[in-house]
Amino acid sequence: MTAAITPRQIFALALPALGVLAANPLYLLLDTAVVGRLGTGELAALAAGATIQSTVTTQLTFLSYGTTARSSRLFGAGKREAAVAEGVQATWVAVVVGLCLSTLIWTLAQPIAYWLTNDTATSLAAASWMRVAALAIPLTLIIMAGNGWMRGVQNTRLPFKLTLAGLIPGAVLLPVLVDRFGLVGSAVANVIGMGIAAALFLIVLVREHGRNGGGWAPNWSIISQQLVLGRDLILRSLSFQISLLAAAAVAGRFGVAVLAAHQIMLQLWNFLTLVLDSMAIAAQTLTGAALGNGQIERAKSVGVQAARYSTIFGLVLAAVFAVLARPIQSIFTHDAAVFAELTVPWWLLIGMIVSGGVVFAFDGVLLGASDAAFLRNLTIVSVLGTFVPITLLSVQFGWGLNGIWAGHLASVLLRLAGVVWRFRSMRWARV
């Protein structure tokens, strides 16, 4: 009889993963708060630049989530050396693709920023930030690959320590550099922090893989298999990012105050989704290991318990954001116009937090089962079927930020229905 998964096993993975996932968004929230003190124009420029940076890097989420799915199955089957080797090949992908993306952003920064902001001054400021921050793109992807293989071998504590070792110096330097160099100082602090963390992740990979006597050359056989899984995850991420880009572009059409309010909402939602995703990472790691060892009932137990705890977590977070709405908003702005724009979208955000608890838990189970094709299709349908139509209606009828975030909530609710149905069907449980 297969032993049931215990809460201790879940939280032993989820809590350090929460630290990793929360660290970077917390840094971005600090970044938003520090830059917000420069003025609404600078905050709007950061909104445009950060949106592009996020769009570019999150397209490669398979470097973390896809690598975890493959590594955890190998680890569950007793093949730790092969699980670590997945990290070597994922790092090669991170370096090559990261350099290409950095070059692209450096070249097209200002035209892209103008498309988002529809304002020449804001786009020029955003472009200056983007050209420096582009240096952090390959560094970010290296960190993602490192997180992926370490989660696969059920080590989430070390990535947490390595992440803090990079972000803390960056956070300390952030206000100093912004005070000295303005908006560009924000990008410089980001590059420094990511550079330290990426170097530490590479050192750990060299030690672990070198101890196993593995090779370092790119292995197209492994990379191609990673890319097959990555294809679906890229399309899924692309759907998310198209919705975020569309939201930022629409917000920009309604004025600087709306775009600034949207930046605050977006950074908070990014933070909250990654916090909720900590339970998903534990579910993914344990599900992959269970299926790699042929234990379907154990994998099902992971999903049930992860959904239960994630729902409770979401309710607690929603209560905090409901009670402390104005104090939280005041961290980022003191502009009365921005406060006014946040009134209705704030309650939509709370609804997304509650429903997102279940969504992210079952997302983790399905990712651990490599059921990426279903998640890809569900995400595309949720974006095209709910978010896009509601956002377009927002432009037509002048709903502004209220309409944009009503579209986001509708998209999350459709995903909720989809992942619950898929989990209960057990069609994902393939050993």
Side-chain angles (χ1 to χ4, degrees):
M1 182 177 179
T2 301
I5 200 73
T6 66
R8 182 176 181 178
Q9 289 173 296
I10 293 177
F11 285 106
L13 293 170
L15 292 178
L18 171 60
V20 173
L21 292 171
N24 193 55
L26 280 173
Y27 175 87
L28 293 177
L29 289 174
L30 174 64
D31 196 10
T32 301
V34 171
V35 172
R37 296 297 186 268
L38 297 176
T40 303
E42 286 83 356
L43 187 59
L46 178 64
T51 297
I52 296 300
Q53 189 86 347
S54 174
T55 300
V56 169
T57 55
T58 53
Q59 291 314 303
L60 280 297
T61 53
F62 79 90
L63 287 171
S64 54
Y65 293 95
T67 303
T68 298
R70 289 176 53 83
S71 293
S72 62
R73 289 225 178 194
L74 291 167
F75 182 75
K79 302 177 181 178
R80 182 185 176 90
E81 295 82 2
V84 176
E86 292 286 333
V88 174
Q89 302 308 316
T91 301
W92 274 113
V93 176
V95 171
V96 174
V97 175
L99 291 174
C100 292
L101 292 175
S102 293
T103 303
L104 185 64
I105 293 300
W106 179 275
T107 305
L108 301 176
Q110 201 276 329
I112 296 173
Y114 184 80
W115 176 77
L116 278 178
T117 63
N118 200 34
D119 180 84
T120 301
T122 304
S123 69
L124 289 172
S128 66
W129 184 92
M130 291 165 62
R131 290 192 177 101
V132 176
L135 299 174
I137 293 175
L139 304 174
T140 303
L141 300 186
I142 289 171
I143 294 169
M144 290 166 60
N147 272 289
W149 74 262
M150 287 191 213
R151 292 170 186 169
V153 299
Q154 300 190 10
N155 183 353
T156 56
R157 292 185 179 182
L158 183 56
F160 176 53
K161 296 176 182 178
L162 301 182
T163 300
L164 289 184
L167 287 186
I168 290 176
V172 171
L173 289 172
L174 177 62
V176 177
L177 293 173
V178 170
D179 182 63
R180 183 174 178 84
F181 300 109
L183 181 62
V184 172
S186 160
V188 174
N190 183 31
V191 172
I192 292 173
M194 289 297 179
I196 295 171
L200 293 175
F201 272 96
L202 287 175
I203 290 171
V204 172
L205 179 61
V206 168
R207 289 180 177 176
E208 179 77 20
H209 193 58
R211 185 163 56 241
N212 296 332
W216 297 100
N219 186 324
W220 177 246
S221 176
I222 295 177
I223 290 176
S224 62
Q225 293 175 52
Q226 290 179 341
L227 293 177
V228 169
L229 178 59
R231 174 196 60 200
D232 294 329
L233 295 178
I234 288 173
L235 290 173
R236 180 174 184 251
S237 296
L238 184 61
S239 300
F240 284 132
Q241 296 310 312
I242 287 175
S243 69
L244 295 179
L245 282 172
V250 171
R253 298 299 186 271
F254 287 99
V256 173
V258 174
L259 185 58
H262 176 70
Q263 165 68 0
I264 293 171
M265 290 282 292
L266 181 61
Q267 291 303 328
L268 286 170
W269 176 238
N270 285 341
F271 166 69
L272 290 165
T273 56
L274 292 178
V275 169
L276 293 171
D277 211 22
S278 62
M279 197 65 69
I281 287 175
Q284 181 187 7
T285 300
L286 293 170
T287 299
L291 294 178
N293 201 29
Q295 299 175 323
I296 292 178
E297 286 302 315
R298 183 179 176 85
K300 182 179 180 181
S301 173
V302 169
V304 171
Q305 295 202 48
R308 179 184 301 125
Y309 296 127
S310 190
T311 299
I312 295 171
F313 194 20
L315 289 170
V316 172
L317 285 173
V320 170
F321 272 70
V323 173
L324 301 178
R326 182 51 66 94
I328 294 173
Q329 296 167 10
S330 298
I331 296 172
F332 310 104
T333 184
H334 294 294
D335 191 324
V338 177
F339 280 133
E341 294 294 341
L342 289 170
T343 303
V344 174
W346 196 261
W347 291 101
L348 299 174
L349 177 66
I350 290 171
M352 292 167 65
I353 296 170
V354 174
S355 53
V358 179
V359 171
F360 287 100
F362 285 144
D363 265 6
V365 173
L366 299 182
L367 282 172
S370 298
D371 198 15
F374 172 79
L375 290 173
R376 174 203 64 198
N377 294 337
L378 177 61
T379 302
I380 292 173
V381 169
S382 71
V383 170
L384 297 181
T386 56
F387 174 78
V388 170
I390 294 174
T391 302
L392 292 177
L393 290 173
S394 298
V395 178
Q396 182 69 27
F397 295 104
W399 294 341
L401 203 62
N402 298 343
I404 293 171
W405 284 88
H408 279 306
L409 174 59
S411 177
V412 171
L413 291 175
L414 183 55
R415 288 173 58 205
L416 172 63
V419 294
V420 169
W421 170 81
R422 185 67 169 183
F423 178 77
R424 295 183 65 181
S425 75
M426 294 299 292
R427 297 180 182 180
W428 51 273
R430 297 183 295 271
V431 296

